[in-house]
PDB file of all heavy atoms in Angstrom:
ATOM      1  N   ALA Y 281     -16.647 -66.419  29.826  1.00 39.00           N
ATOM      2  CA  ALA Y 281     -15.846 -65.719  28.945  1.00 39.00           C
ATOM      3  C   ALA Y 281     -14.909 -66.684  28.130  1.00 39.00           C
ATOM      4  O   ALA Y 281     -14.566 -66.506  26.906  1.00 39.00           O
ATOM      5  CB  ALA Y 281     -15.016 -64.563  29.460  1.00 39.00           C
ATOM      6  N   VAL Y 301     -35.160 -69.552  42.524  1.00 62.00           N
ATOM      7  CA  VAL Y 301     -36.229 -70.183  43.197  1.00 62.00           C
ATOM      8  C   VAL Y 301     -35.696 -70.946  44.396  1.00 62.00           C
ATOM      9  O   VAL Y 301     -34.574 -71.229  44.532  1.00 62.00           O
ATOM     10  CB  VAL Y 301     -36.912 -71.169  42.245  1.00 62.00           C
ATOM     11  CG1 VAL Y 301     -37.613 -70.383  41.084  1.00 62.00           C
ATOM     12  CG2 VAL Y 301     -35.951 -72.282  41.665  1.00 62.00           C
ATOM     13  N   ASP Y 344     -20.246 -78.393  33.230  1.00 86.00           N
ATOM     14  CA  ASP Y 344     -19.250 -78.677  32.170  1.00 86.00           C
ATOM     15  C   ASP Y 344     -19.766 -79.760  31.192  1.00 86.00           C
ATOM     16  O   ASP Y 344     -20.250 -80.831  31.742  1.00 86.00           O
ATOM     17  CB  ASP Y 344     -17.987 -79.059  32.871  1.00 86.00           C
ATOM     18  CG  ASP Y 344     -17.299 -77.921  33.612  1.00 86.00           C
ATOM     19  OD1 ASP Y 344     -17.476 -76.786  33.168  1.00 86.00           O
ATOM     20  OD2 ASP Y 344     -16.671 -78.105  34.664  1.00 86.00           O
ATOM     21  N   TRP Y 358     -25.733 -76.891  21.201  1.00 85.00           N
ATOM     22  CA  TRP Y 358     -25.939 -77.168  22.662  1.00 85.00           C
ATOM     23  C   TRP Y 358     -27.200 -76.819  23.116  1.00 85.00           C
ATOM     24  O   TRP Y 358     -28.038 -75.812  22.520  1.00 85.00           O
ATOM     25  CB  TRP Y 358     -24.787 -76.564  23.437  1.00 85.00           C
ATOM     26  CG  TRP Y 358     -24.780 -75.000  23.464  1.00 85.00           C
ATOM     27  CD1 TRP Y 358     -24.136 -74.239  22.568  1.00 85.00           C
ATOM     28  CD2 TRP Y 358     -25.566 -74.113  24.263  1.00 85.00           C
ATOM     29  NE1 TRP Y 358     -24.504 -72.939  22.804  1.00 85.00           N
ATOM     30  CE2 TRP Y 358     -25.406 -72.791  23.854  1.00 85.00           C
ATOM     31  CE3 TRP Y 358     -26.563 -74.344  25.286  1.00 85.00           C
ATOM     32  CZ2 TRP Y 358     -25.965 -71.780  24.369  1.00 85.00           C
ATOM     33  CZ3 TRP Y 358     -27.181 -73.189  25.848  1.00 85.00           C
ATOM     34  CH2 TRP Y 358     -26.897 -72.042  25.440  1.00 85.00           C
ATOM     35  N   MET Y 360     -29.864 -76.566  26.979  1.00 80.00           N
ATOM     36  CA  MET Y 360     -29.919 -76.797  28.426  1.00 80.00           C
ATOM     37  C   MET Y 360     -31.340 -76.441  28.775  1.00 80.00           C
ATOM     38  O   MET Y 360     -31.973 -75.475  28.374  1.00 80.00           O
ATOM     39  CB  MET Y 360     -28.968 -75.815  29.160  1.00 80.00           C
ATOM     40  CG  MET Y 360     -29.007 -75.979  30.726  1.00 80.00           C
ATOM     41  SD  MET Y 360     -27.767 -75.003  31.608  1.00 80.00           S
ATOM     42  CE  MET Y 360     -28.281 -73.312  31.214  1.00 80.00           C
ATOM     43  N   LYS Y 430       6.107 -83.743  24.943  1.00 91.00           N
ATOM     44  CA  LYS Y 430       7.475 -83.742  24.412  1.00 91.00           C
ATOM     45  C   LYS Y 430       7.658 -82.630  23.358  1.00 91.00           C
ATOM     46  O   LYS Y 430       6.729 -82.293  22.627  1.00 91.00           O
ATOM     47  CB  LYS Y 430       7.820 -85.067  23.707  1.00 91.00           C
ATOM     48  CG  LYS Y 430       7.658 -86.297  24.585  1.00 91.00           C
ATOM     49  CD  LYS Y 430       8.653 -86.336  25.780  1.00 91.00           C
ATOM     50  CE  LYS Y 430       8.408 -87.514  26.706  1.00 91.00           C
ATOM     51  NZ  LYS Y 430       9.346 -87.593  27.795  1.00 91.00           N
ATOM     52  N   LYS Y 442      22.012 -76.793  10.949  1.00 94.00           N
ATOM     53  CA  LYS Y 442      21.490 -77.196  12.259  1.00 94.00           C
ATOM     54  C   LYS Y 442      22.614 -77.413  13.121  1.00 94.00           C
ATOM     55  O   LYS Y 442      23.437 -78.303  12.982  1.00 94.00           O
ATOM     56  CB  LYS Y 442      20.657 -78.526  12.234  1.00 94.00           C
ATOM     57  CG  LYS Y 442      19.387 -78.409  11.426  1.00 94.00           C
ATOM     58  CD  LYS Y 442      18.552 -79.660  11.385  1.00 94.00           C
ATOM     59  CE  LYS Y 442      17.239 -79.508  10.726  1.00 94.00           C
ATOM     60  NZ  LYS Y 442      17.307 -79.010   9.368  1.00 94.00           N
ATOM     61  N   THR Y 481      -4.419 -84.425  18.624  1.00 66.00           N
ATOM     62  CA  THR Y 481      -5.070 -84.267  17.295  1.00 66.00           C
ATOM     63  C   THR Y 481      -4.297 -83.547  16.315  1.00 66.00           C
ATOM     64  O   THR Y 481      -4.656 -83.647  15.054  1.00 66.00           O
ATOM     65  CB  THR Y 481      -6.377 -83.596  17.528  1.00 66.00           C
ATOM     66  OG1 THR Y 481      -6.137 -82.285  18.068  1.00 66.00           O
ATOM     67  CG2 THR Y 481      -7.315 -84.279  18.371  1.00 66.00           C
ATOM     68  N   VAL Y 492      23.133 -62.568  16.065  1.00 94.00           N
ATOM     69  CA  VAL Y 492      24.563 -62.634  16.534  1.00 94.00           C
ATOM     70  C   VAL Y 492      25.398 -61.600  15.724  1.00 94.00           C
ATOM     71  O   VAL Y 492      25.359 -61.804  14.513  1.00 94.00           O
ATOM     72  CB  VAL Y 492      25.137 -64.185  16.279  1.00 94.00           C
ATOM     73  CG1 VAL Y 492      26.597 -64.169  16.595  1.00 94.00           C
ATOM     74  CG2 VAL Y 492      24.388 -65.124  17.061  1.00 94.00           C
ATOM     75  N   PHE Y 567      21.460 -23.739  20.528  1.00 95.00           N
ATOM     76  CA  PHE Y 567      21.215 -23.288  19.166  1.00 95.00           C
ATOM     77  C   PHE Y 567      19.917 -22.642  18.917  1.00 95.00           C
ATOM     78  O   PHE Y 567      19.095 -22.731  19.759  1.00 95.00           O
ATOM     79  CB  PHE Y 567      21.309 -24.557  18.126  1.00 95.00           C
ATOM     80  CG  PHE Y 567      20.129 -25.568  18.315  1.00 95.00           C
ATOM     81  CD1 PHE Y 567      18.948 -25.387  17.739  1.00 95.00           C
ATOM     82  CD2 PHE Y 567      20.332 -26.675  19.105  1.00 95.00           C
ATOM     83  CE1 PHE Y 567      17.887 -26.273  18.013  1.00 95.00           C
ATOM     84  CE2 PHE Y 567      19.307 -27.588  19.392  1.00 95.00           C
ATOM     85  CZ  PHE Y 567      18.051 -27.334  18.881  1.00 95.00           C
ATOM     86  N   PHE Y 635     -17.081 -34.610  30.996  1.00 94.00           N
ATOM     87  CA  PHE Y 635     -15.710 -34.259  31.637  1.00 94.00           C
ATOM     88  C   PHE Y 635     -14.762 -33.694  30.583  1.00 94.00           C
ATOM     89  O   PHE Y 635     -14.636 -34.270  29.545  1.00 94.00           O
ATOM     90  CB  PHE Y 635     -15.173 -35.541  32.238  1.00 94.00           C
ATOM     91  CG  PHE Y 635     -15.949 -36.138  33.337  1.00 94.00           C
ATOM     92  CD1 PHE Y 635     -16.968 -37.157  33.070  1.00 94.00           C
ATOM     93  CD2 PHE Y 635     -15.804 -35.720  34.762  1.00 94.00           C
ATOM     94  CE1 PHE Y 635     -17.735 -37.605  34.064  1.00 94.00           C
ATOM     95  CE2 PHE Y 635     -16.582 -36.308  35.687  1.00 94.00           C
ATOM     96  CZ  PHE Y 635     -17.541 -37.176  35.401  1.00 94.00           C
ATOM     97  N   LYS Y 637     -11.073 -31.293  30.013  1.00 95.00           N
ATOM     98  CA  LYS Y 637      -9.809 -30.887  30.680  1.00 95.00           C
ATOM     99  C   LYS Y 637      -9.132 -29.726  29.803  1.00 95.00           C
ATOM    100  O   LYS Y 637      -8.997 -29.803  28.620  1.00 95.00           O
ATOM    101  CB  LYS Y 637      -8.809 -32.039  30.736  1.00 95.00           C
ATOM    102  CG  LYS Y 637      -7.465 -31.758  31.437  1.00 95.00           C
ATOM    103  CD  LYS Y 637      -6.506 -33.017  31.462  1.00 95.00           C
ATOM    104  CE  LYS Y 637      -5.243 -32.506  32.116  1.00 95.00           C
ATOM    105  NZ  LYS Y 637      -4.240 -33.804  32.091  1.00 95.00           N
ATOM    106  N   PRO Y 689     -10.650 -25.601  37.841  1.00 92.00           N
ATOM    107  CA  PRO Y 689      -9.746 -25.789  38.926  1.00 92.00           C
ATOM    108  C   PRO Y 689      -8.285 -26.012  38.573  1.00 92.00           C
ATOM    109  O   PRO Y 689      -7.931 -26.073  37.460  1.00 92.00           O
ATOM    110  CB  PRO Y 689     -10.275 -27.117  39.647  1.00 92.00           C
ATOM    111  CG  PRO Y 689     -10.783 -27.876  38.398  1.00 92.00           C
ATOM    112  CD  PRO Y 689     -11.406 -26.751  37.615  1.00 92.00           C
ATOM    113  N   ASP Y 699     -28.528 -30.701  32.257  1.00 85.00           N
ATOM    114  CA  ASP Y 699     -29.933 -30.997  32.380  1.00 85.00           C
ATOM    115  C   ASP Y 699     -30.531 -31.338  31.016  1.00 85.00           C
ATOM    116  O   ASP Y 699     -30.694 -30.358  30.261  1.00 85.00           O
ATOM    117  CB  ASP Y 699     -30.707 -30.008  33.154  1.00 85.00           C
ATOM    118  CG  ASP Y 699     -30.333 -29.768  34.610  1.00 85.00           C
ATOM    119  OD1 ASP Y 699     -29.946 -30.850  35.234  1.00 85.00           O
ATOM    120  OD2 ASP Y 699     -30.380 -28.650  35.040  1.00 85.00           O
ATOM    121  N   ILE Y 700     -30.824 -32.597  30.696  1.00 84.00           N
ATOM    122  CA  ILE Y 700     -31.275 -32.821  29.266  1.00 84.00           C
ATOM    123  C   ILE Y 700     -32.711 -32.810  29.270  1.00 84.00           C
ATOM    124  O   ILE Y 700     -33.476 -33.466  30.012  1.00 84.00           O
ATOM    125  CB  ILE Y 700     -30.762 -34.294  28.905  1.00 84.00           C
ATOM    126  CG1 ILE Y 700     -29.167 -34.346  29.141  1.00 84.00           C
ATOM    127  CG2 ILE Y 700     -31.157 -34.778  27.543  1.00 84.00           C
ATOM    128  CD1 ILE Y 700     -28.632 -35.719  28.811  1.00 84.00           C
ATOM    129  N   ASN Y 703     -37.516 -34.219  25.576  1.00 83.00           N
ATOM    130  CA  ASN Y 703     -37.828 -34.556  24.152  1.00 83.00           C
ATOM    131  C   ASN Y 703     -36.502 -34.661  23.254  1.00 83.00           C
ATOM    132  O   ASN Y 703     -36.549 -34.693  22.045  1.00 83.00           O
ATOM    133  CB  ASN Y 703     -38.716 -33.588  23.603  1.00 83.00           C
ATOM    134  CG  ASN Y 703     -38.096 -32.153  23.604  1.00 83.00           C
ATOM    135  OD1 ASN Y 703     -37.116 -31.855  24.266  1.00 83.00           O
ATOM    136  ND2 ASN Y 703     -38.697 -31.277  22.840  1.00 83.00           N
ATOM    137  N   ILE Y 722     -23.580 -36.557  21.687  1.00 93.00           N
ATOM    138  CA  ILE Y 722     -24.144 -37.502  22.444  1.00 93.00           C
ATOM    139  C   ILE Y 722     -25.477 -37.814  21.941  1.00 93.00           C
ATOM    140  O   ILE Y 722     -26.338 -37.048  21.787  1.00 93.00           O
ATOM    141  CB  ILE Y 722     -24.344 -36.904  23.978  1.00 93.00           C
ATOM    142  CG1 ILE Y 722     -22.873 -36.186  24.345  1.00 93.00           C
ATOM    143  CG2 ILE Y 722     -24.558 -37.977  24.845  1.00 93.00           C
ATOM    144  CD1 ILE Y 722     -21.690 -37.176  24.464  1.00 93.00           C
ATOM    145  N   GLN Y 734     -30.184 -46.321  35.820  1.00 86.00           N
ATOM    146  CA  GLN Y 734     -28.784 -45.762  35.883  1.00 86.00           C
ATOM    147  C   GLN Y 734     -28.183 -46.332  37.146  1.00 86.00           C
ATOM    148  O   GLN Y 734     -28.785 -46.149  38.208  1.00 86.00           O
ATOM    149  CB  GLN Y 734     -28.657 -44.277  35.807  1.00 86.00           C
ATOM    150  CG  GLN Y 734     -27.244 -43.738  35.608  1.00 86.00           C
ATOM    151  CD  GLN Y 734     -27.280 -42.263  35.509  1.00 86.00           C
ATOM    152  OE1 GLN Y 734     -27.645 -41.563  36.486  1.00 86.00           O
ATOM    153  NE2 GLN Y 734     -26.969 -41.761  34.410  1.00 86.00           N
ATOM    154  N   LEU Y 788     -35.709 -29.846  55.051  1.00 63.00           N
ATOM    155  CA  LEU Y 788     -36.859 -29.068  55.392  1.00 63.00           C
ATOM    156  C   LEU Y 788     -36.440 -27.913  56.262  1.00 63.00           C
ATOM    157  O   LEU Y 788     -35.744 -28.030  57.255  1.00 63.00           O
ATOM    158  CB  LEU Y 788     -37.880 -29.952  56.088  1.00 63.00           C
ATOM    159  CG  LEU Y 788     -39.282 -29.369  56.454  1.00 63.00           C
ATOM    160  CD1 LEU Y 788     -40.129 -29.142  55.180  1.00 63.00           C
ATOM    161  CD2 LEU Y 788     -40.048 -30.277  57.430  1.00 63.00           C
ATOM    162  N   LEU Y 816     -46.921 -33.837  56.460  1.00 67.00           N
ATOM    163  CA  LEU Y 816     -47.946 -34.009  57.382  1.00 67.00           C
ATOM    164  C   LEU Y 816     -47.693 -32.855  58.507  1.00 67.00           C
ATOM    165  O   LEU Y 816     -46.669 -32.868  59.137  1.00 67.00           O
ATOM    166  CB  LEU Y 816     -48.103 -35.285  58.110  1.00 67.00           C
ATOM    167  CG  LEU Y 816     -49.090 -35.491  59.175  1.00 67.00           C
ATOM    168  CD1 LEU Y 816     -50.404 -35.306  58.640  1.00 67.00           C
ATOM    169  CD2 LEU Y 816     -48.936 -36.835  59.739  1.00 67.00           C
TER     170      LEU Y 816
END
Side-chain angles (χ1 to χ4, degrees):
V301 294
D344 291 328
W358 62 267
M360 180 171 68
K430 304 294 184 180
K442 292 181 175 58
T481 59
V492 177
F567 64 85
F635 298 88
K637 181 180 180 181
D699 294 327
I700 300 176
N703 65 345
I722 311 293
Q734 186 180 71
L788 185 67
L816 175 64

